[in-house]
Amino acid sequence: MRFWPDYPMHALHIAAARPKPEIWRMILGVVLMVALYISLALVYQQVIVIATDGSGAFARELRAGSTPRAMYLLLFSFGLISVAVFSIVQLLHQRSGISVLGPLLLLVPQFFRVTGILVVLGIAILVLPPYELGGPLVPNLAPGYWTLLLPLSLVAVFIQISAEEIFFRGYLQQQLAARFRSPWVWMVLPSALFAIGHYQPEEAGQNAVLITLWAGVFGMLMADLTARAGSLGPALAVHFVNNVTAILITSLPDSLGGLALFHTPFGMADTQALRAWLPVDFAVMLTSWLAARVALRR
């Protein structure tokens, strides 16, 4: 019995990577991307320091993402990853950087189709009986101010999630799949790296491992959607809706909560309260993945 399904559409996603699939080239590409990203990030950080006069208070605000301006600076900084990936793909692989997205004629309609069904799913979840969060939601931004910021906030979140998808399900998945047929390589390896990038023991404490596992499973599901669809469209949609919910609607008060309309009554430091909600979050993730698969069949 086959463990993995067939992915006939995946050939469309990896077609651009086939002419130069060498592993040494991919490893060198990753090294160059990291080096370019670090260089750009240092310049970006220096500009922030100059603009804020090196304020210690603002540095703490930025680390916590506790205000809108801090969140915008954090979220937009992810765009540097996309710049690094696009630049090195063009330089090292002699192909368009935008090709890491897969065929745009597939990506655009798939993105909007999956986003639409996820919005319907979100509304359905909202009208279900309320769930106890251990207390009422805590208002953060005034509704009018939040609405005024929303267009820019949506752009910022999209830049953040697209950078992660472009690197992990775009560049890495494409290059590995162009060289290896087995999903054990092109699906599992980028997802493991994606999970490691979410390991934050100082911030998450005893929940750090569970959150890392959550990220690993999320990466696997996004890799599956990308292979099924032949583009990054569905993965971008699921990641976008997930992060809009977690960053702009209801966020933890002590972790990247500066743009949220509401804060949860518990924070990242409340180990038991947060752990009780991780299975619910996991269930929503699986449901979103299944809903995206249904959208792709329409």
Side-chain angles (χ1 to χ4, degrees):
M1 183 179 68
R2 293 173 57 88
F3 186 82
W4 304 100
D6 290 324
Y7 291 111
M9 295 292 287
H10 201 202
L12 298 175
H13 182 57
I14 66 177
R18 288 195 184 279
K20 297 183 183 297
E22 301 88 353
I23 291 302
W24 69 263
R25 194 183 299 270
M26 186 200 74
I27 294 173
L28 178 59
V30 171
V31 171
L32 293 176
M33 287 171 191
V34 171
L36 179 56
Y37 167 71
I38 291 174
S39 300
L40 294 172
L42 288 174
V43 174
Y44 185 79
Q45 184 180 40
Q46 191 60 38
V47 171
I48 293 174
V49 169
I50 293 172
T52 60
D53 297 321
S55 167
F58 181 71
R60 291 189 293 272
E61 176 185 320
L62 190 62
R63 282 194 298 271
S66 57
T67 65
R69 68 169 181 172
M71 284 298 296
Y72 286 137
L73 288 172
L74 287 171
L75 294 172
F76 280 113
S77 72
F78 279 80
L80 302 178
I81 297 175
S82 298
V83 170
V85 173
F86 291 157
S87 300
I88 300 305
V89 166
Q90 181 77 46
L91 174 69
L92 189 62
H93 297 272
Q94 287 84 54
R95 61 183 172 105
S96 169
I98 207 75
S99 64
V100 298
L101 299 169
L104 295 183
L105 289 177
L106 284 177
L107 183 148
V108 174
Q110 288 172 346
F111 174 82
F112 286 107
R113 191 186 313 159
V114 173
T115 299
I117 201 168
L118 291 178
V119 169
V120 172
L121 175 63
I123 293 172
I125 292 174
L126 282 176
V127 300
L128 289 173
Y131 298 98
E132 178 57 49
L133 282 170
L137 292 175
V138 180
N140 180 41
L141 297 180
Y145 184 46
W146 180 85
T147 302
L148 182 66
L149 295 178
L150 186 58
L152 183 59
S153 299
L154 291 173
V155 171
V157 171
F158 186 79
I159 288 175
Q160 180 256 318
I161 64 96
S162 62
E164 294 183 341
E165 294 304 322
I166 283 168
F167 181 68
F168 290 103
R169 265 68 67 180
Y171 181 71
L172 287 182
Q173 182 165 328
Q174 277 185 343
Q175 290 302 132
L176 288 170
R179 177 63 180 81
F180 302 99
R181 294 185 61 184
S182 174
W184 287 106
V185 179
W186 55 259
M187 181 180 287
V188 175
L189 182 57
S191 299
L193 294 174
F194 181 72
I196 291 170
H198 286 76
Y199 181 62
Q200 299 175 308
E202 292 186 3
E203 184 176 348
Q206 297 177 21
N207 289 323
V209 172
L210 290 175
I211 292 173
T212 301
L213 290 174
W214 182 99
V217 174
F218 183 84
M220 294 276 288
L221 298 181
M222 296 308 99
D224 171 80
L225 287 178
T226 300
R228 289 177 185 275
S231 84
L232 288 183
L236 286 169
V238 174
H239 205 157
F240 180 63
V241 173
N242 177 82
N243 282 28
V244 164
T245 302
I247 293 175
L248 302 186
I249 300 177
T250 305
S251 179
L252 296 170
D254 53 356
S255 179
L256 306 180
L259 285 173
L261 182 61
F262 297 104
H263 284 162
T264 59
F266 55 83
M268 185 70 80
D270 299 320
T271 303
Q272 295 304 318
L274 181 60
R275 182 171 297 180
W277 270 93
L278 286 177
V280 176
D281 203 31
F282 188 82
V284 171
M285 174 178 66
L286 288 177
T287 305
S288 298
W289 169 66
L290 291 171
R293 289 182 55 182
V294 170
L296 290 175
R297 293 177 180 176
R298 293 172 55 190

